Short mmCIF file of all heavy atoms in Angstrom, two decimals:
data_model
loop_
_atom_site.label_atom_id
_atom_site.label_comp_id
_atom_site.label_asym_id
_atom_site.label_seq_id
_atom_site.Cartn_x
_atom_site.Cartn_y
_atom_site.Cartn_z
N SER A 28 109.09 97.19 129.75
CA SER A 28 109.02 96.24 128.63
C SER A 28 108.42 94.92 129.13
O SER A 28 107.56 94.33 128.40
CB SER A 28 110.42 95.95 128.09
OG SER A 28 110.97 97.16 127.57
N ALA A 29 108.82 94.44 130.31
CA ALA A 29 108.27 93.14 130.78
C ALA A 29 106.76 93.29 131.07
O ALA A 29 106.03 92.31 130.83
CB ALA A 29 108.93 92.87 132.11
N ALA A 30 106.27 94.44 131.48
CA ALA A 30 104.87 94.58 131.79
C ALA A 30 103.98 94.53 130.49
O ALA A 30 102.86 94.20 130.49
CB ALA A 30 104.62 95.94 132.46
N LEU A 31 104.69 94.94 129.28
CA LEU A 31 103.96 94.86 128.05
C LEU A 31 104.04 93.56 127.25
O LEU A 31 103.38 93.33 126.31
CB LEU A 31 104.51 96.04 127.16
CG LEU A 31 104.29 97.43 127.64
CD1 LEU A 31 105.16 98.39 126.82
CD2 LEU A 31 102.79 97.81 127.56
N VAL A 32 104.88 92.60 127.82
CA VAL A 32 104.99 91.38 127.10
C VAL A 32 103.71 90.57 126.99
O VAL A 32 103.44 89.98 125.93
CB VAL A 32 106.11 90.51 127.84
CG1 VAL A 32 106.00 89.08 127.43
CG2 VAL A 32 107.46 91.09 127.58
N PRO A 33 102.77 90.49 128.00
CA PRO A 33 101.55 89.75 127.80
C PRO A 33 100.72 90.27 126.59
O PRO A 33 100.09 89.48 125.91
CB PRO A 33 100.75 89.98 129.07
CG PRO A 33 101.86 90.25 130.13
CD PRO A 33 102.92 90.98 129.38
N ILE A 34 100.72 91.58 126.38
CA ILE A 34 99.98 92.13 125.22
C ILE A 34 100.68 91.68 123.94
O ILE A 34 100.02 91.29 122.97
CB ILE A 34 99.99 93.69 125.26
CG1 ILE A 34 99.24 94.11 126.56
CG2 ILE A 34 99.36 94.27 124.03
CD1 ILE A 34 99.30 95.64 126.76
N ALA A 35 102.03 91.67 123.92
CA ALA A 35 102.71 91.21 122.73
C ALA A 35 102.46 89.71 122.43
O ALA A 35 102.31 89.31 121.34
CB ALA A 35 104.20 91.50 122.88
N ALA A 36 102.45 88.91 123.52
CA ALA A 36 102.16 87.47 123.39
C ALA A 36 100.77 87.23 122.83
O ALA A 36 100.58 86.39 121.96
CB ALA A 36 102.29 86.81 124.79
N LEU A 37 99.83 88.07 123.23
CA LEU A 37 98.45 87.90 122.69
C LEU A 37 98.47 88.24 121.25
O LEU A 37 97.79 87.59 120.46
CB LEU A 37 97.58 88.92 123.46
CG LEU A 37 96.06 88.94 122.96
CD1 LEU A 37 95.41 87.60 123.23
CD2 LEU A 37 95.31 90.06 123.69
N GLY A 38 99.18 89.29 120.85
CA GLY A 38 99.36 89.63 119.44
C GLY A 38 99.98 88.54 118.65
O GLY A 38 99.65 88.33 117.47
N THR A 39 100.94 87.86 119.18
CA THR A 39 101.62 86.78 118.50
C THR A 39 100.69 85.64 118.18
O THR A 39 100.61 85.16 117.04
CB THR A 39 102.78 86.20 119.33
OG1 THR A 39 103.68 87.30 119.67
CG2 THR A 39 103.55 85.12 118.56
N VAL A 40 99.91 85.27 119.15
CA VAL A 40 98.88 84.21 118.94
C VAL A 40 97.80 84.62 117.86
O VAL A 40 97.46 83.88 116.99
CB VAL A 40 98.19 83.79 120.20
CG1 VAL A 40 97.03 82.82 120.01
CG2 VAL A 40 99.21 83.22 121.18
N ALA A 41 97.45 85.89 117.98
CA ALA A 41 96.40 86.39 117.09
C ALA A 41 96.94 86.50 115.68
O ALA A 41 96.25 86.19 114.66
CB ALA A 41 95.98 87.83 117.49
N GLY A 42 98.26 86.85 115.54
CA GLY A 42 98.84 86.95 114.19
C GLY A 42 98.87 85.62 113.44
O GLY A 42 98.56 85.55 112.31
N LYS A 43 99.26 84.56 114.20
CA LYS A 43 99.31 83.25 113.59
C LYS A 43 97.95 82.73 113.24
O LYS A 43 97.72 82.20 112.16
CB LYS A 43 100.00 82.22 114.44
CG LYS A 43 100.08 80.86 113.84
CD LYS A 43 100.79 79.83 114.66
CE LYS A 43 100.91 78.52 113.86
NZ LYS A 43 101.49 77.41 114.59
N SER A 44 96.97 83.03 114.09
CA SER A 44 95.57 82.61 113.83
C SER A 44 95.06 83.29 112.57
O SER A 44 94.34 82.67 111.74
CB SER A 44 94.71 82.97 115.05
OG SER A 44 93.36 82.64 114.77
N PHE A 45 95.41 84.57 112.47
CA PHE A 45 94.93 85.34 111.25
C PHE A 45 95.53 84.72 109.97
O PHE A 45 94.81 84.53 108.96
CB PHE A 45 95.30 86.79 111.35
CG PHE A 45 94.92 87.65 110.22
CD1 PHE A 45 93.57 88.10 110.17
CD2 PHE A 45 95.80 87.99 109.24
CE1 PHE A 45 93.18 88.91 109.06
CE2 PHE A 45 95.40 88.73 108.13
CZ PHE A 45 94.13 89.17 108.03
N ILE A 46 96.78 84.39 110.01
CA ILE A 46 97.45 83.87 108.87
C ILE A 46 96.88 82.48 108.45
O ILE A 46 96.67 82.11 107.25
CB ILE A 46 98.93 83.73 109.06
CG1 ILE A 46 99.58 85.18 109.08
CG2 ILE A 46 99.67 82.93 107.98
CD1 ILE A 46 101.05 85.21 109.47
N GLN A 47 96.60 81.71 109.46
CA GLN A 47 96.11 80.36 109.16
C GLN A 47 94.74 80.38 108.42
O GLN A 47 94.44 79.41 107.66
CB GLN A 47 95.92 79.60 110.49
CG GLN A 47 97.22 79.10 111.13
CD GLN A 47 97.00 78.45 112.47
OE1 GLN A 47 96.13 78.88 113.27
NE2 GLN A 47 97.71 77.33 112.72
N ASN A 48 93.99 81.44 108.64
CA ASN A 48 92.65 81.50 107.98
C ASN A 48 92.69 82.38 106.70
O ASN A 48 91.66 82.68 106.18
CB ASN A 48 91.66 82.14 109.02
CG ASN A 48 91.40 81.14 110.15
OD1 ASN A 48 90.80 80.14 109.94
ND2 ASN A 48 91.92 81.53 111.36
N LEU A 49 93.90 82.74 106.29
CA LEU A 49 94.05 83.60 105.07
C LEU A 49 94.58 82.70 103.95
O LEU A 49 95.44 81.86 104.14
CB LEU A 49 95.00 84.75 105.37
CG LEU A 49 95.08 85.89 104.43
CD1 LEU A 49 93.76 86.64 104.46
CD2 LEU A 49 96.20 86.84 104.80
N SER A 50 94.04 82.87 102.74
CA SER A 50 94.43 82.08 101.62
C SER A 50 95.94 82.47 101.22
O SER A 50 96.40 83.51 101.50
CB SER A 50 93.56 82.32 100.37
OG SER A 50 93.73 83.66 99.90
N GLU A 51 96.56 81.43 100.60
CA GLU A 51 97.91 81.63 100.18
C GLU A 51 98.03 82.89 99.25
O GLU A 51 98.97 83.71 99.34
CB GLU A 51 98.44 80.40 99.35
CG GLU A 51 98.52 79.15 100.20
CD GLU A 51 99.89 78.93 100.80
OE1 GLU A 51 100.84 79.59 100.38
OE2 GLU A 51 99.96 78.13 101.75
N LYS A 52 97.09 83.04 98.36
CA LYS A 52 97.14 84.15 97.32
C LYS A 52 97.10 85.47 98.09
O LYS A 52 97.93 86.36 97.80
CB LYS A 52 95.90 84.03 96.36
CG LYS A 52 95.81 85.21 95.46
CD LYS A 52 94.53 85.09 94.53
CE LYS A 52 94.32 86.34 93.75
NZ LYS A 52 93.17 86.19 92.86
N TRP A 53 96.17 85.63 98.98
CA TRP A 53 96.01 86.96 99.69
C TRP A 53 97.12 87.18 100.71
O TRP A 53 97.55 88.39 100.87
CB TRP A 53 94.68 86.99 100.36
CG TRP A 53 93.55 87.17 99.43
CD1 TRP A 53 92.56 86.28 99.08
CD2 TRP A 53 93.29 88.33 98.59
NE1 TRP A 53 91.76 86.71 98.03
CE2 TRP A 53 92.12 88.03 97.77
CE3 TRP A 53 93.84 89.62 98.48
CZ2 TRP A 53 91.55 88.99 96.92
CZ3 TRP A 53 93.27 90.50 97.52
CH2 TRP A 53 92.20 90.22 96.79
#
């Protein structure tokens, strides 16, 4: 699980970035 955390952390940052660039409606 610990070895996979960096991948999860990358996904967390990517998830927020995606939401920031998405309109409220969508």
Side-chain angles (χ1 to χ4, degrees):
S28 298
L31 294 169
V32 166
I34 297 175
L37 179 63
T39 304
V40 175
K43 182 177 182 182
S44 177
F45 180 80
I46 291 174
Q47 286 177 320
N48 293 289
L49 195 65
S50 70
E51 296 268 344
K52 174 184 176 181
W53 287 109

